[in-house]
Every structure is written in C-alpha cells, then in structure tokens.
Amino acid sequence: MTFGAPVVTKIRPHVKRPSTAHGIGTFDCHMMIAEPKKWVKDFQKAGCDLYCFHYEAAISSTAAENPADHSDSTTSPKEMIRYVHEQKMLAGIAIKPDTPVDVLWSILDNPNRDEVPDMVLVMTVHPGFGGQKFMASELPKVQALRQRYPNLNIEVDGGLSEGTIDQAAEAGANVIVAGSAVFGAKDPVDVIAKLRDAVEKRR
C-alpha cells in the first residue's frame, strides 16, 4: 500500500470535504490490495470519500473487517460495495487489463442500489507501479460501459497524459487519474487544466 490511512489522515485537514458526491475535495482512494475489506473502516476514519477496490480481490479475499482479523468466509464484489456504502462512503470497483468488462454487468444491473458501485475504474496499465505505457487496448471496455450506462462515472488510470487523454475521453472516460504526467511536468497546473478540458469538451 503506497499511501496508507495515516497519510490520508494527515492530508484530510488541508482539503475541504466535498459538498456533493464526487465534488471538489473528494478523496478517491484506489486500493490495489489483496484484502480490501480489512481496510474500509481505517480509510473511512482517515477521511476517504470514495473507496475503490479491485474486482479481482473482492471475488476471493477474506471477509474480515480489520487488518488483524481473520475470517474463513470470503467476500464478493456486491457485498463489498454494500459494506463500503454502510460506512458512509462512495464505492468504486476497478478491473485490471486481464479482466473482461462483462464481469461488471450483473453488478451494475443489480436492482439493489446499495450493491451498485458509484464509479467504475478501468485500468489502462497493469497494477503495480507508475510510469507504464498507456494501453489503448483497454478503451473498448470504457466504450462498452459508456454505451450501457450513460450516466456512470468511468475512471481510467495508467499512462494518462496530454498525448493519451483524447483517446480516453473520446471513449467515454470522465474521471482521469494522472500521476507521472502531472508530477513530472514543469507546469502541473497547466497539465491538469488540459486533461480536464479534454474531458469537459466531450460531455
């Protein structure tokens, strides 16, 4: 875990909480971890607004609710979403490049809204480390999601920059994660503005 709950706790007082869902100041915590349920409460206490876990982890991980606990029961994506909502946070679900997008249909079409995610994250690199090359091969997943769910918040993460943002935005992504492109830029503010503009032009 690169940025744990203690880091979120330290930053939260310096950023005003959002006044609306997904608004300015939202702390979107992407949990690239094997046992996501164990950390929900810690991140809620730290000030997380949106807890995004991986589908791949949720289908096989322990249902234990604290880092030190163990449970013989396993969780599921729908159960995870409901649990995150019970902790008064928005829930996001991520899929990595090896996972087909259609695993999400039954989750997104669930009539029980407490078990439906507030956002879907499509990874455009393999999870693990920054600076990887953008995988345009993942954009059909974004297109399929946007076609089926016009109002869904669809996030992309991995290799996003001024050179790749137009492809992602055109496919239907409206939430952009950019690490190296922003923090490695001479003018991060300008890069952020250009990324945001590319999305806004296609709304």
Side-chain angles (χ1 to χ4, degrees), residues 62-120:
T62 177
E65 296 182 5
N66 295 289
D69 292 348
H70 174 75
S71 173
D72 291 329
S73 299
T74 57
T75 187
S76 70
K78 291 179 182 179
E79 192 276 334
M80 271 293 302
I81 293 164
R82 184 175 68 251
Y83 184 66
V84 171
H85 284 155
E86 288 172 353
Q87 308 308 312
K88 308 303 181 185
M89 292 185 289
L90 299 173
I93 187 167
I95 54 171
K96 61 184 182 180
D98 294 335
T99 302
V101 70
D102 59 10
V103 301
L104 299 176
W105 298 162
S106 64
I107 298 170
L108 289 162
D109 293 336
N110 188 351
N112 183 350
R113 304 311 295 173
D114 289 337
E115 297 179 347
V116 174
D118 304 285
M119 185 187 76
V120 169

Side-chain angles (χ1 to χ4, degrees), residues 7-105:
V7 177
V8 177
T9 300
K10 291 293 185 181
I11 299 173
R12 182 77 271 181
H14 302 282
V15 181
K16 186 177 179 180
R17 298 296 291 255
S19 58
T20 58
H22 306 283
I24 294 174
T26 294
F27 275 24
D28 171 358
C29 297
H30 176 195
M31 308 302 294
M32 289 191 284
I33 54 176
E35 297 178 329
K37 190 172 184 180
K38 285 187 173 185
W39 300 95
V40 173
K41 290 182 179 178
D42 279 2
F43 273 78
Q44 190 276 333
K45 292 175 184 176
C48 171
D49 300 298
L50 189 156
Y51 190 92
C52 184
F53 62 91
H54 271 260
Y55 167 87
E56 299 84 7
I59 59 175
S60 60
S61 63
T62 177
E65 296 182 5
N66 295 289
D69 292 348
H70 174 75
S71 173
D72 291 329
S73 299
T74 57
T75 187
S76 70
K78 291 179 182 179
E79 192 276 334
M80 271 293 302
I81 293 164
R82 184 175 68 251
Y83 184 66
V84 171
H85 284 155
E86 288 172 353
Q87 308 308 312
K88 308 303 181 185
M89 292 185 289
L90 299 173
I93 187 167
I95 54 171
K96 61 184 182 180
D98 294 335
T99 302
V101 70
D102 59 10
V103 301
L104 299 176
W105 298 162

Side-chain angles (χ1 to χ4, degrees), residues 2 32 123-133 157-159 180:
T2 306
M32 289 191 284
M123 294 295 295
T124 45
V125 296
H126 290 285
F129 57 94
Q132 297 181 62
K133 186 177 179 181
D157 181 0
S180 302

